[in-house]
PDB file of all heavy atoms in Angstrom:
ATOM      1  N   GLY A   1      15.725  23.982   2.135  1.00  0.00           N
ATOM      2  CA  GLY A   1      15.841  25.338   2.219  1.00  0.00           C
ATOM      3  C   GLY A   1      16.434  26.007   0.929  1.00  0.00           C
ATOM      4  O   GLY A   1      16.345  27.263   0.682  1.00  0.00           O
ATOM      5  N   ARG A   2      17.012  25.208  -0.024  1.00  0.00           N
ATOM      6  CA  ARG A   2      17.637  25.682  -1.145  1.00  0.00           C
ATOM      7  C   ARG A   2      16.826  25.176  -2.451  1.00  0.00           C
ATOM      8  O   ARG A   2      16.833  25.887  -3.420  1.00  0.00           O
ATOM      9  CB  ARG A   2      19.099  25.213  -1.334  1.00  0.00           C
ATOM     10  CG  ARG A   2      20.015  25.844  -0.231  1.00  0.00           C
ATOM     11  CD  ARG A   2      21.370  25.499  -0.490  1.00  0.00           C
ATOM     12  NE  ARG A   2      21.818  24.099  -0.723  1.00  0.00           N
ATOM     13  CZ  ARG A   2      22.382  23.579  -1.754  1.00  0.00           C
ATOM     14  NH1 ARG A   2      22.625  24.330  -2.846  1.00  0.00           N
ATOM     15  NH2 ARG A   2      22.620  22.192  -1.885  1.00  0.00           N
ATOM     16  N   PHE A   3      16.267  23.922  -2.356  1.00  0.00           N
ATOM     17  CA  PHE A   3      15.478  23.358  -3.413  1.00  0.00           C
ATOM     18  C   PHE A   3      14.037  23.168  -3.170  1.00  0.00           C
ATOM     19  O   PHE A   3      13.680  23.013  -1.979  1.00  0.00           O
ATOM     20  CB  PHE A   3      16.115  21.968  -3.745  1.00  0.00           C
ATOM     21  CG  PHE A   3      17.494  21.893  -4.293  1.00  0.00           C
ATOM     22  CD1 PHE A   3      18.338  22.944  -4.303  1.00  0.00           C
ATOM     23  CD2 PHE A   3      17.973  20.701  -4.765  1.00  0.00           C
ATOM     24  CE1 PHE A   3      19.646  22.939  -4.838  1.00  0.00           C
ATOM     25  CE2 PHE A   3      19.357  20.570  -5.376  1.00  0.00           C
ATOM     26  CZ  PHE A   3      20.180  21.763  -5.357  1.00  0.00           C
ATOM     27  N   THR A   4      13.244  23.380  -4.090  1.00  0.00           N
ATOM     28  CA  THR A   4      11.862  23.215  -3.981  1.00  0.00           C
ATOM     29  C   THR A   4      11.253  22.360  -5.094  1.00  0.00           C
ATOM     30  O   THR A   4      11.550  22.577  -6.323  1.00  0.00           O
ATOM     31  CB  THR A   4      11.090  24.487  -4.047  1.00  0.00           C
ATOM     32  OG1 THR A   4      11.570  25.437  -2.938  1.00  0.00           O
ATOM     33  CG2 THR A   4       9.559  24.309  -3.734  1.00  0.00           C
ATOM     34  N   ILE A   5      10.535  21.289  -4.699  1.00  0.00           N
ATOM     35  CA  ILE A   5       9.992  20.387  -5.549  1.00  0.00           C
ATOM     36  C   ILE A   5       8.428  20.778  -5.746  1.00  0.00           C
ATOM     37  O   ILE A   5       7.776  21.162  -4.683  1.00  0.00           O
ATOM     38  CB  ILE A   5      10.064  18.767  -5.180  1.00  0.00           C
ATOM     39  CG1 ILE A   5       9.594  17.973  -6.260  1.00  0.00           C
ATOM     40  CG2 ILE A   5       9.391  18.651  -3.927  1.00  0.00           C
ATOM     41  CD1 ILE A   5       9.873  16.452  -6.029  1.00  0.00           C
ATOM     42  N   SER A   6       7.893  20.755  -6.844  1.00  0.00           N
ATOM     43  CA  SER A   6       6.637  21.033  -7.149  1.00  0.00           C
ATOM     44  C   SER A   6       6.024  20.210  -8.418  1.00  0.00           C
ATOM     45  O   SER A   6       6.949  19.767  -9.135  1.00  0.00           O
ATOM     46  CB  SER A   6       6.316  22.411  -7.425  1.00  0.00           C
ATOM     47  OG  SER A   6       7.024  23.005  -8.659  1.00  0.00           O
ATOM     48  N   ARG A   7       4.755  20.157  -8.572  1.00  0.00           N
ATOM     49  CA  ARG A   7       4.181  19.413  -9.779  1.00  0.00           C
ATOM     50  C   ARG A   7       2.938  20.138 -10.343  1.00  0.00           C
ATOM     51  O   ARG A   7       2.226  20.841  -9.609  1.00  0.00           O
ATOM     52  CB  ARG A   7       3.887  18.009  -9.347  1.00  0.00           C
ATOM     53  CG  ARG A   7       2.668  17.794  -8.347  1.00  0.00           C
ATOM     54  CD  ARG A   7       2.754  16.406  -7.843  1.00  0.00           C
ATOM     55  NE  ARG A   7       2.301  15.492  -8.965  1.00  0.00           N
ATOM     56  CZ  ARG A   7       2.355  14.206  -8.906  1.00  0.00           C
ATOM     57  NH1 ARG A   7       3.142  13.609  -7.911  1.00  0.00           N
ATOM     58  NH2 ARG A   7       2.040  13.390  -9.853  1.00  0.00           N
ATOM     59  N   ASP A   8       2.641  19.950 -11.526  1.00  0.00           N
ATOM     60  CA  ASP A   8       1.422  20.359 -12.228  1.00  0.00           C
ATOM     61  C   ASP A   8       0.935  19.160 -12.953  1.00  0.00           C
ATOM     62  O   ASP A   8       1.339  18.639 -13.953  1.00  0.00           O
ATOM     63  CB  ASP A   8       1.946  21.395 -13.272  1.00  0.00           C
ATOM     64  CG  ASP A   8       0.697  21.942 -13.941  1.00  0.00           C
ATOM     65  OD1 ASP A   8      -0.391  21.283 -14.052  1.00  0.00           O
ATOM     66  OD2 ASP A   8       0.698  23.130 -14.411  1.00  0.00           O
ATOM     67  N   ASN A   9      -0.139  18.550 -12.333  1.00  0.00           N
ATOM     68  CA  ASN A   9      -0.776  17.432 -12.834  1.00  0.00           C
ATOM     69  C   ASN A   9      -1.458  17.585 -14.230  1.00  0.00           C
ATOM     70  O   ASN A   9      -1.636  16.664 -14.906  1.00  0.00           O
ATOM     71  CB  ASN A   9      -1.710  16.800 -11.822  1.00  0.00           C
ATOM     72  CG  ASN A   9      -0.954  16.106 -10.810  1.00  0.00           C
ATOM     73  OD1 ASN A   9       0.402  15.776 -10.901  1.00  0.00           O
ATOM     74  ND2 ASN A   9      -1.520  15.738  -9.592  1.00  0.00           N
ATOM     75  N   VAL A  10      -1.920  18.856 -14.363  1.00  0.00           N
ATOM     76  CA  VAL A  10      -2.494  19.044 -15.674  1.00  0.00           C
ATOM     77  C   VAL A  10      -1.445  19.123 -16.803  1.00  0.00           C
ATOM     78  O   VAL A  10      -1.638  18.431 -17.918  1.00  0.00           O
ATOM     79  CB  VAL A  10      -3.171  20.376 -15.698  1.00  0.00           C
ATOM     80  CG1 VAL A  10      -3.764  20.826 -17.129  1.00  0.00           C
ATOM     81  CG2 VAL A  10      -4.342  20.376 -14.715  1.00  0.00           C
ATOM     82  N   ALA A  11      -0.279  19.589 -16.502  1.00  0.00           N
ATOM     83  CA  ALA A  11       0.731  19.722 -17.500  1.00  0.00           C
ATOM     84  C   ALA A  11       1.598  18.416 -17.492  1.00  0.00           C
ATOM     85  O   ALA A  11       2.571  18.169 -18.355  1.00  0.00           O
ATOM     86  CB  ALA A  11       1.701  20.900 -17.213  1.00  0.00           C
ATOM     87  N   LYS A  12       1.242  17.490 -16.418  1.00  0.00           N
ATOM     88  CA  LYS A  12       1.994  16.253 -16.358  1.00  0.00           C
ATOM     89  C   LYS A  12       3.575  16.504 -16.165  1.00  0.00           C
ATOM     90  O   LYS A  12       4.411  15.865 -16.828  1.00  0.00           O
ATOM     91  CB  LYS A  12       1.801  15.346 -17.503  1.00  0.00           C
ATOM     92  CG  LYS A  12       0.358  14.843 -17.632  1.00  0.00           C
ATOM     93  CD  LYS A  12       0.309  13.785 -18.660  1.00  0.00           C
ATOM     94  CE  LYS A  12      -1.169  13.277 -18.843  1.00  0.00           C
ATOM     95  NZ  LYS A  12      -1.262  12.163 -19.937  1.00  0.00           N
ATOM     96  N   ALA A  13       3.895  17.425 -15.217  1.00  0.00           N
ATOM     97  CA  ALA A  13       5.286  17.792 -15.097  1.00  0.00           C
ATOM     98  C   ALA A  13       5.584  18.009 -13.633  1.00  0.00           C
ATOM     99  O   ALA A  13       4.704  18.337 -12.758  1.00  0.00           O
ATOM    100  CB  ALA A  13       5.579  19.106 -15.804  1.00  0.00           C
ATOM    101  N   VAL A  14       6.923  17.683 -13.313  1.00  0.00           N
ATOM    102  CA  VAL A  14       7.343  17.968 -11.967  1.00  0.00           C
ATOM    103  C   VAL A  14       8.491  18.843 -12.104  1.00  0.00           C
ATOM    104  O   VAL A  14       9.295  18.782 -13.174  1.00  0.00           O
ATOM    105  CB  VAL A  14       7.721  16.626 -11.287  1.00  0.00           C
ATOM    106  CG1 VAL A  14       8.418  16.874  -9.931  1.00  0.00           C
ATOM    107  CG2 VAL A  14       6.444  15.759 -11.041  1.00  0.00           C
ATOM    108  N   TYR A  15       8.808  19.739 -11.260  1.00  0.00           N
ATOM    109  CA  TYR A  15       9.777  20.711 -11.244  1.00  0.00           C
ATOM    110  C   TYR A  15      10.733  20.558 -10.043  1.00  0.00           C
ATOM    111  O   TYR A  15      10.239  20.207  -8.895  1.00  0.00           O
ATOM    112  CB  TYR A  15       9.230  22.067 -11.237  1.00  0.00           C
ATOM    113  CG  TYR A  15       8.120  22.257 -12.381  1.00  0.00           C
ATOM    114  CD1 TYR A  15       6.788  22.225 -12.075  1.00  0.00           C
ATOM    115  CD2 TYR A  15       8.459  22.428 -13.727  1.00  0.00           C
ATOM    116  CE1 TYR A  15       5.796  22.340 -13.003  1.00  0.00           C
ATOM    117  CE2 TYR A  15       7.537  22.540 -14.678  1.00  0.00           C
ATOM    118  CZ  TYR A  15       6.139  22.502 -14.276  1.00  0.00           C
ATOM    119  OH  TYR A  15       5.086  22.641 -15.226  1.00  0.00           O
ATOM    120  N   LEU A  16      11.883  21.042 -10.168  1.00  0.00           N
ATOM    121  CA  LEU A  16      12.896  21.136  -8.978  1.00  0.00           C
ATOM    122  C   LEU A  16      13.563  22.496  -9.220  1.00  0.00           C
ATOM    123  O   LEU A  16      14.425  22.648 -10.068  1.00  0.00           O
ATOM    124  CB  LEU A  16      13.938  20.052  -9.098  1.00  0.00           C
ATOM    125  CG  LEU A  16      14.843  20.117  -7.771  1.00  0.00           C
ATOM    126  CD1 LEU A  16      14.061  19.712  -6.600  1.00  0.00           C
ATOM    127  CD2 LEU A  16      16.081  19.065  -7.915  1.00  0.00           C
ATOM    128  N   GLN A  17      13.061  23.449  -8.432  1.00  0.00           N
ATOM    129  CA  GLN A  17      13.683  24.758  -8.309  1.00  0.00           C
ATOM    130  C   GLN A  17      14.922  24.780  -7.425  1.00  0.00           C
ATOM    131  O   GLN A  17      14.890  24.464  -6.272  1.00  0.00           O
ATOM    132  CB  GLN A  17      12.659  25.815  -7.920  1.00  0.00           C
ATOM    133  CG  GLN A  17      13.271  27.230  -7.821  1.00  0.00           C
ATOM    134  CD  GLN A  17      13.585  27.856  -9.221  1.00  0.00           C
ATOM    135  OE1 GLN A  17      12.733  27.698 -10.050  1.00  0.00           O
ATOM    136  NE2 GLN A  17      14.812  28.369  -9.344  1.00  0.00           N
ATOM    137  N   MET A  18      16.032  25.103  -8.010  1.00  0.00           N
ATOM    138  CA  MET A  18      17.267  25.015  -7.253  1.00  0.00           C
ATOM    139  C   MET A  18      17.903  26.458  -7.032  1.00  0.00           C
ATOM    140  O   MET A  18      18.112  27.035  -8.076  1.00  0.00           O
ATOM    141  CB  MET A  18      18.205  24.003  -7.913  1.00  0.00           C
ATOM    142  CG  MET A  18      17.741  22.699  -8.144  1.00  0.00           C
ATOM    143  SD  MET A  18      19.037  21.553  -8.821  1.00  0.00           S
ATOM    144  CE  MET A  18      19.416  22.438 -10.466  1.00  0.00           C
ATOM    145  N   SER A  19      18.224  26.760  -5.878  1.00  0.00           N
ATOM    146  CA  SER A  19      18.856  28.136  -5.747  1.00  0.00           C
ATOM    147  C   SER A  19      20.113  27.957  -4.719  1.00  0.00           C
ATOM    148  O   SER A  19      20.306  26.953  -4.219  1.00  0.00           O
ATOM    149  CB  SER A  19      17.716  29.175  -5.137  1.00  0.00           C
ATOM    150  OG  SER A  19      17.249  28.602  -3.908  1.00  0.00           O
ATOM    151  N   SER A  20      20.824  29.093  -4.691  1.00  0.00           N
ATOM    152  CA  SER A  20      21.989  29.059  -3.868  1.00  0.00           C
ATOM    153  C   SER A  20      22.871  27.939  -4.153  1.00  0.00           C
ATOM    154  O   SER A  20      23.388  27.178  -3.260  1.00  0.00           O
ATOM    155  CB  SER A  20      21.663  29.134  -2.301  1.00  0.00           C
ATOM    156  OG  SER A  20      20.871  30.234  -2.038  1.00  0.00           O
ATOM    157  N   LEU A  21      22.930  27.683  -5.499  1.00  0.00           N
ATOM    158  CA  LEU A  21      23.841  26.401  -5.916  1.00  0.00           C
ATOM    159  C   LEU A  21      25.220  26.448  -5.499  1.00  0.00           C
ATOM    160  O   LEU A  21      25.874  27.498  -5.504  1.00  0.00           O
ATOM    161  CB  LEU A  21      23.659  26.205  -7.437  1.00  0.00           C
ATOM    162  CG  LEU A  21      22.275  25.646  -7.848  1.00  0.00           C
ATOM    163  CD1 LEU A  21      22.063  25.839  -9.245  1.00  0.00           C
ATOM    164  CD2 LEU A  21      22.183  24.308  -7.523  1.00  0.00           C
ATOM    165  N   LYS A  22      25.790  25.287  -5.148  1.00  0.00           N
ATOM    166  CA  LYS A  22      27.240  25.179  -4.755  1.00  0.00           C
ATOM    167  C   LYS A  22      27.905  24.280  -5.804  1.00  0.00           C
ATOM    168  O   LYS A  22      27.187  23.407  -6.421  1.00  0.00           O
ATOM    169  CB  LYS A  22      27.201  24.529  -3.381  1.00  0.00           C
ATOM    170  CG  LYS A  22      26.343  25.334  -2.237  1.00  0.00           C
ATOM    171  CD  LYS A  22      26.330  24.595  -1.093  1.00  0.00           C
ATOM    172  CE  LYS A  22      25.527  25.180   0.007  1.00  0.00           C
ATOM    173  NZ  LYS A  22      25.312  24.318   1.210  1.00  0.00           N
ATOM    174  N   PRO A  23      29.203  24.281  -5.813  1.00  0.00           N
ATOM    175  CA  PRO A  23      29.941  23.335  -6.600  1.00  0.00           C
ATOM    176  C   PRO A  23      29.642  21.960  -6.430  1.00  0.00           C
ATOM    177  O   PRO A  23      29.667  21.187  -7.252  1.00  0.00           O
ATOM    178  CB  PRO A  23      31.430  23.746  -6.420  1.00  0.00           C
ATOM    179  CG  PRO A  23      31.366  25.230  -6.136  1.00  0.00           C
ATOM    180  CD  PRO A  23      30.095  25.373  -5.297  1.00  0.00           C
ATOM    181  N   GLU A  24      29.489  21.674  -5.033  1.00  0.00           N
ATOM    182  CA  GLU A  24      29.141  20.274  -4.798  1.00  0.00           C
ATOM    183  C   GLU A  24      27.759  19.762  -5.204  1.00  0.00           C
ATOM    184  O   GLU A  24      27.427  18.532  -5.117  1.00  0.00           O
ATOM    185  CB  GLU A  24      29.239  20.033  -3.153  1.00  0.00           C
ATOM    186  CG  GLU A  24      28.481  21.133  -2.376  1.00  0.00           C
ATOM    187  CD  GLU A  24      29.333  22.164  -1.866  1.00  0.00           C
ATOM    188  OE1 GLU A  24      30.115  22.719  -2.812  1.00  0.00           O
ATOM    189  OE2 GLU A  24      29.264  22.558  -0.657  1.00  0.00           O
ATOM    190  N   ASP A  25      26.955  20.620  -5.678  1.00  0.00           N
ATOM    191  CA  ASP A  25      25.585  20.272  -6.373  1.00  0.00           C
ATOM    192  C   ASP A  25      25.867  19.722  -7.793  1.00  0.00           C
ATOM    193  O   ASP A  25      24.931  19.308  -8.379  1.00  0.00           O
ATOM    194  CB  ASP A  25      24.686  21.479  -6.433  1.00  0.00           C
ATOM    195  CG  ASP A  25      24.154  21.861  -4.996  1.00  0.00           C
ATOM    196  OD1 ASP A  25      23.919  21.093  -4.144  1.00  0.00           O
ATOM    197  OD2 ASP A  25      24.201  23.139  -4.895  1.00  0.00           O
ATOM    198  N   THR A  26      27.059  19.775  -8.273  1.00  0.00           N
ATOM    199  CA  THR A  26      27.317  19.231  -9.636  1.00  0.00           C
ATOM    200  C   THR A  26      27.142  17.792  -9.661  1.00  0.00           C
ATOM    201  O   THR A  26      27.643  16.947  -8.799  1.00  0.00           O
ATOM    202  CB  THR A  26      28.699  19.604 -10.077  1.00  0.00           C
ATOM    203  OG1 THR A  26      28.946  20.942 -10.145  1.00  0.00           O
ATOM    204  CG2 THR A  26      29.221  18.875 -11.231  1.00  0.00           C
ATOM    205  N   ALA A  27      26.282  17.334 -10.557  1.00  0.00           N
ATOM    206  CA  ALA A  27      25.924  15.958 -10.735  1.00  0.00           C
ATOM    207  C   ALA A  27      24.967  15.796 -11.828  1.00  0.00           C
ATOM    208  O   ALA A  27      24.470  16.785 -12.520  1.00  0.00           O
ATOM    209  CB  ALA A  27      25.025  15.432  -9.385  1.00  0.00           C
ATOM    210  N   VAL A  28      24.627  14.443 -12.218  1.00  0.00           N
ATOM    211  CA  VAL A  28      23.439  14.226 -13.131  1.00  0.00           C
ATOM    212  C   VAL A  28      22.211  14.125 -12.187  1.00  0.00           C
ATOM    213  O   VAL A  28      22.215  13.362 -11.242  1.00  0.00           O
ATOM    214  CB  VAL A  28      23.721  13.023 -13.841  1.00  0.00           C
ATOM    215  CG1 VAL A  28      22.530  12.696 -14.796  1.00  0.00           C
ATOM    216  CG2 VAL A  28      24.952  13.118 -14.735  1.00  0.00           C
ATOM    217  N   TYR A  29      21.140  14.787 -12.607  1.00  0.00           N
ATOM    218  CA  TYR A  29      19.853  14.841 -11.808  1.00  0.00           C
ATOM    219  C   TYR A  29      18.874  13.983 -12.652  1.00  0.00           C
ATOM    220  O   TYR A  29      18.589  14.112 -13.717  1.00  0.00           O
ATOM    221  CB  TYR A  29      19.479  16.261 -11.639  1.00  0.00           C
ATOM    222  CG  TYR A  29      20.158  17.040 -10.629  1.00  0.00           C
ATOM    223  CD1 TYR A  29      21.528  17.438 -10.880  1.00  0.00           C
ATOM    224  CD2 TYR A  29      19.590  17.389  -9.484  1.00  0.00           C
ATOM    225  CE1 TYR A  29      22.374  18.043  -9.915  1.00  0.00           C
ATOM    226  CE2 TYR A  29      20.446  18.149  -8.499  1.00  0.00           C
ATOM    227  CZ  TYR A  29      21.680  18.490  -8.748  1.00  0.00           C
ATOM    228  OH  TYR A  29      22.451  19.074  -7.852  1.00  0.00           O
ATOM    229  N   TYR A  30      18.193  13.217 -11.761  1.00  0.00           N
ATOM    230  CA  TYR A  30      17.207  12.163 -12.364  1.00  0.00           C
ATOM    231  C   TYR A  30      15.926  12.475 -11.653  1.00  0.00           C
ATOM    232  O   TYR A  30      15.895  12.669 -10.418  1.00  0.00           O
ATOM    233  CB  TYR A  30      17.612  10.769 -12.013  1.00  0.00           C
ATOM    234  CG  TYR A  30      18.873  10.377 -12.579  1.00  0.00           C
ATOM    235  CD1 TYR A  30      20.159  10.476 -11.954  1.00  0.00           C
ATOM    236  CD2 TYR A  30      18.906   9.744 -13.967  1.00  0.00           C
ATOM    237  CE1 TYR A  30      21.319   9.991 -12.564  1.00  0.00           C
ATOM    238  CE2 TYR A  30      20.077   9.390 -14.423  1.00  0.00           C
ATOM    239  CZ  TYR A  30      21.282   9.488 -13.762  1.00  0.00           C
ATOM    240  OH  TYR A  30      22.514   9.130 -14.267  1.00  0.00           O
ATOM    241  N   CYS A  31      14.725  12.327 -12.357  1.00  0.00           N
ATOM    242  CA  CYS A  31      13.476  12.225 -11.779  1.00  0.00           C
ATOM    243  C   CYS A  31      13.084  10.696 -11.897  1.00  0.00           C
ATOM    244  O   CYS A  31      13.522  10.001 -12.838  1.00  0.00           O
ATOM    245  CB  CYS A  31      12.462  13.058 -12.292  1.00  0.00           C
ATOM    246  SG  CYS A  31      12.054  12.942 -13.986  1.00  0.00           S
ATOM    247  N   ALA A  32      12.277  10.286 -11.023  1.00  0.00           N
ATOM    248  CA  ALA A  32      11.829   8.961 -10.940  1.00  0.00           C
ATOM    249  C   ALA A  32      10.379   8.958 -10.412  1.00  0.00           C
ATOM    250  O   ALA A  32       9.981   9.919  -9.643  1.00  0.00           O
ATOM    251  CB  ALA A  32      12.761   8.066 -10.090  1.00  0.00           C
ATOM    252  N   ALA A  33       9.719   7.875 -10.604  1.00  0.00           N
ATOM    253  CA  ALA A  33       8.250   7.819 -10.241  1.00  0.00           C
ATOM    254  C   ALA A  33       7.924   6.421  -9.667  1.00  0.00           C
ATOM    255  O   ALA A  33       8.475   5.420  -9.983  1.00  0.00           O
ATOM    256  CB  ALA A  33       7.350   8.169 -11.401  1.00  0.00           C
ATOM    257  N   THR A  34       6.897   6.480  -8.876  1.00  0.00           N
ATOM    258  CA  THR A  34       6.333   5.099  -8.425  1.00  0.00           C
ATOM    259  C   THR A  34       4.858   5.293  -8.149  1.00  0.00           C
ATOM    260  O   THR A  34       4.250   6.445  -7.866  1.00  0.00           O
ATOM    261  CB  THR A  34       7.021   4.700  -7.038  1.00  0.00           C
ATOM    262  OG1 THR A  34       6.430   3.525  -6.641  1.00  0.00           O
ATOM    263  CG2 THR A  34       6.738   5.747  -5.858  1.00  0.00           C
ATOM    264  N   ARG A  35       4.048   4.179  -8.442  1.00  0.00           N
ATOM    265  CA  ARG A  35       2.731   4.212  -8.195  1.00  0.00           C
ATOM    266  C   ARG A  35       2.462   3.704  -6.754  1.00  0.00           C
ATOM    267  O   ARG A  35       3.440   3.197  -6.080  1.00  0.00           O
ATOM    268  CB  ARG A  35       1.922   3.297  -9.084  1.00  0.00           C
ATOM    269  CG  ARG A  35       2.020   3.786 -10.598  1.00  0.00           C
ATOM    270  CD  ARG A  35       0.814   3.283 -11.323  1.00  0.00           C
ATOM    271  NE  ARG A  35      -0.506   3.679 -10.889  1.00  0.00           N
ATOM    272  CZ  ARG A  35      -1.595   3.446 -11.485  1.00  0.00           C
ATOM    273  NH1 ARG A  35      -1.516   2.643 -12.584  1.00  0.00           N
ATOM    274  NH2 ARG A  35      -2.872   3.903 -11.018  1.00  0.00           N
ATOM    275  N   GLY A  36       1.373   3.754  -6.192  1.00  0.00           N
ATOM    276  CA  GLY A  36       1.121   3.331  -4.841  1.00  0.00           C
ATOM    277  C   GLY A  36       0.211   4.308  -4.241  1.00  0.00           C
ATOM    278  O   GLY A  36      -0.183   5.246  -4.822  1.00  0.00           O
ATOM    279  N   ASN A  37      -0.267   4.106  -3.036  1.00  0.00           N
ATOM    280  CA  ASN A  37      -1.320   4.917  -2.358  1.00  0.00           C
ATOM    281  C   ASN A  37      -0.639   6.191  -1.694  1.00  0.00           C
ATOM    282  O   ASN A  37      -0.370   6.188  -0.493  1.00  0.00           O
ATOM    283  CB  ASN A  37      -2.088   4.165  -1.303  1.00  0.00           C
ATOM    284  CG  ASN A  37      -3.235   5.079  -0.735  1.00  0.00           C
ATOM    285  OD1 ASN A  37      -3.500   6.102  -1.258  1.00  0.00           O
ATOM    286  ND2 ASN A  37      -3.805   4.545   0.258  1.00  0.00           N
TER     287      ASN A  37
END
């Protein structure tokens, strides 16, 4: 309800839109990927 993940395969990018941020959201944020079906 606060974060939204999306992707653009043409741009080869993934996004994380974050709103209503709280102090407890403080962290290092990582993206990761996996192949598979």
Side-chain angles (χ1 to χ4, degrees):
R2 298 190 299 126
F3 291 10
T4 301
I5 189 171
S6 60
R7 68 188 293 162
D8 182 339
N9 285 344
V10 174
K12 294 186 178 181
V14 175
Y15 311 99
L16 187 68
Q17 179 68 47
M18 307 186 296
S19 60
S20 302
L21 284 163
K22 307 173 183 179
E24 51 263 44
D25 293 318
T26 296
V28 177
Y29 283 67
Y30 299 90
C31 63
T34 184
R35 292 203 68 174
N37 187 10

